[in-house]
Amino acid sequence: MLLTNIPKTAIILKVKDDCFPKKIFKEKNLSLKRFLPTLIFFLFFLLSFSIYFFNSRRNQQKSFSEFSIPTPFAIEITKNDSKSILITNSGEWMIVKPITEKADEEKVRKLINELNTLKAENVFTNFKGLKEYGLNPPIVKLKVYSENKMKELWFGERSIDEKYRYFITVEETNKIFLCYSYKIETPFEDLSDFREKGIFFIPSGEIEKIILKTKKELYILKPKNINGEKQWVVVNKNEKFVNGFNEKLVDIYSLSVANFLEGEKSFMKNYEISIYSKDLTNTLWFSGKIEDKKWLAKAQGKNGLFIVESDNLDNIFKVEEK
């Protein structure tokens, strides 16, 4: 059949049938175009909210990072109306108040590290007062000094779940910060925790002499080099050599404070260990043994009395001559 013989109506129907998918596509395309502005607005809103949340979170964590003082020269801790001051002198930390003695370097470094890495996990600006957060008065006041600035922190209570702790900066009392409580523990420790536990310190030069004294005996020992090996001689007892004193010297340097005692207690210097060198003299006295392995002691450069725990202390005072 020739094309010219096909009825016109049939041709029209055929054209309409071919165009039906195109019409649907056009309708869908028009619907998409109508929905596109809404979709763009939604994506823009979502992106804006994400940026705001990220910046807000970052600002919360950065809001206190300016407190960081990498090289402080003094730290003041006030707790329960008691003030402790630590200062660095020639690279060594000292406690200067309420007592004067060498500080535990490791403990001070831990405190400085906690402060330099302290971050606010959350910030409150809408609150009625500081008292409900334990900040008026604060549990701990902390001041850190460097050459050109001073920063002050007040620490309060922990949160109900004890996961966080509240704190403020004196510069911004209109903000209460929340930090993880486990990340700031050292300021809440006792002063005794900041005191140096070591007693004898290895001198830079050679040891000149060692004195061991008991209630009945006095030994003055000096080193002598015999065939390239250091030997010890009791110079006040006919220059007699001592067996195994190098091992005992290791035990002496291992002695440390188990715990410091408070209050006045009677003390008699019944036993003594003294180590002399050109640049350093260390002396440790014992009143006696108070319990098994526990001795009541006092040392040069340390305030008050303390307990020394040792398995080998009895043996140190037993000098066996060759």
Side-chain angles (χ1 to χ4, degrees):
M1 183 181 292
L2 297 175
L3 184 61
T4 54
N5 295 329
I6 298 175
K8 292 182 179 179
T9 53
I11 294 174
I12 293 171
L13 288 173
K14 182 64 177 176
V15 171
K16 286 184 178 180
D17 186 56
D18 291 342
C19 292
F20 184 68
K22 295 181 180 179
K23 183 178 180 182
I24 295 174
F25 176 76
K26 287 181 179 179
E27 289 178 355
K28 287 185 177 181
N29 194 28
L30 289 173
S31 300
L32 181 62
K33 286 182 179 180
R34 286 195 297 268
F35 179 71
L36 190 59
T38 305
L39 179 62
I40 293 173
F41 175 79
F42 176 76
L43 292 175
F44 177 78
F45 173 79
L46 185 63
L47 179 63
S48 300
F49 178 78
S50 299
I51 293 173
Y52 170 79
F53 179 81
F54 175 77
N55 286 336
S56 174
R57 187 69 175 171
R58 185 177 61 180
N59 289 336
Q60 285 178 5
Q61 291 189 346
K62 279 190 171 184
S63 58
F64 199 62
S65 63
E66 294 179 357
F67 176 77
S68 173
I69 301 181
T71 55
F73 69 83
I75 301 173
E76 180 181 305
I77 305 172
T78 304
K79 182 173 60 174
N80 298 328
D81 297 325
S82 177
K83 184 180 293 185
S84 304
I85 298 177
L86 300 95
I87 65 170
T88 181
N89 182 22
S90 300
E92 291 188 348
W93 282 93
M94 296 285 299
I95 302 172
V96 296
K97 187 176 182 179
I99 58 176
T100 302
E101 67 179 50
K102 184 176 173 60
D104 187 324
E105 296 282 340
E106 184 177 347
K107 183 67 67 175
V108 178
R109 284 195 298 269
K110 181 182 177 184
L111 171 60
I112 294 172
N113 182 65
E114 286 181 351
L115 295 174
N116 285 333
T117 57
L118 183 63
K119 293 181 180 179
E121 303 298 328
N122 206 343
V123 182
F124 300 130
T125 56
N126 185 17
F127 53 91
K128 294 181 179 179
L130 299 175
K131 190 171 184 179
E132 62 179 306
Y133 300 97
L135 291 163
N136 187 21
I139 296 176
V140 170
K141 288 183 181 180
L142 192 67
K143 293 180 181 179
V144 182
Y145 299 84
S146 69
E147 291 184 1
N148 54 4
K149 63 181 178 179
M150 184 276 287
K151 290 289 184 178
E152 183 172 355
L153 262 179
W154 291 5
F155 290 99
E157 299 285 355
R158 293 186 179 187
S159 56
I160 295 176
D161 59 4
E162 296 193 351
K163 186 177 180 180
Y164 302 97
R165 187 177 291 279
Y166 303 103
F167 69 95
I168 63 172
T169 67
V170 172
E171 294 87 353
E172 295 182 287
T173 54
N174 61 330
K175 295 180 181 179
I176 293 179
F177 299 91
L178 266 179
C179 66
Y180 285 118
S181 56
Y182 75 89
K183 290 187 176 182
I184 187 73
E185 298 175 331
T186 311
F188 301 90
E189 298 185 18
D190 294 332
L191 174 65
S192 60
D193 294 315
F194 285 90
R195 298 174 67 178
E196 173 60 58
K197 307 301 187 297
I199 300 171
F200 291 99
F201 304 97
I202 299 175
S204 58
E206 290 288 330
I207 296 175
E208 295 180 340
K209 67 177 178 180
I210 295 176
I211 291 179
L212 296 179
K213 181 182 177 182
T214 67
K215 292 180 180 180
K216 299 180 179 180
E217 296 286 351
L218 172 64
Y219 301 95
I220 302 175
L221 298 96
K222 288 187 177 183
K224 280 193 174 183
N225 196 314
I226 307 296
N227 298 324
E229 184 180 351
K230 182 184 288 186
Q231 300 287 339
W232 292 89
V233 178
V234 183
V235 296
N236 64 323
K237 292 184 179 292
N238 299 321
E239 297 283 332
K240 291 184 178 180
F241 286 94
V242 178
N243 285 321
F245 194 77
N246 286 322
E247 289 75 13
K248 288 187 179 183
L249 190 58
V250 173
D251 293 335
I252 291 173
Y253 278 113
S254 299
L255 296 174
S256 63
V257 177
N259 59 284
F260 292 96
L261 302 178
E262 297 181 1
E264 295 293 330
K265 291 179 175 60
S266 59
F267 185 83
M268 296 183 65
K269 297 179 180 179
N270 294 323
Y271 302 82
E272 177 185 331
I273 303 175
S274 293
I275 300 178
Y276 295 83
S277 63
K278 290 182 178 180
D279 62 327
L280 187 65
T281 300
N282 288 151
T283 300
L284 175 64
W285 298 278
F286 296 97
S287 178
K289 188 184 292 186
I290 56 175
E291 292 181 29
D292 184 36
K293 303 178 183 179
K294 293 184 178 181
W295 295 65
L296 183 63
K298 182 180 179 65
Q300 178 185 5
K302 291 189 183 298
N303 292 265
L305 304 178
F306 51 86
I307 301 297
V308 171
E309 293 187 23
S310 174
D311 295 326
N312 302 318
L313 200 50
D314 283 309
N315 187 53
I316 289 174
F317 289 103
K318 295 177 181 177
V319 177
E320 298 178 0
E321 301 171 359
K322 290 183 180 180

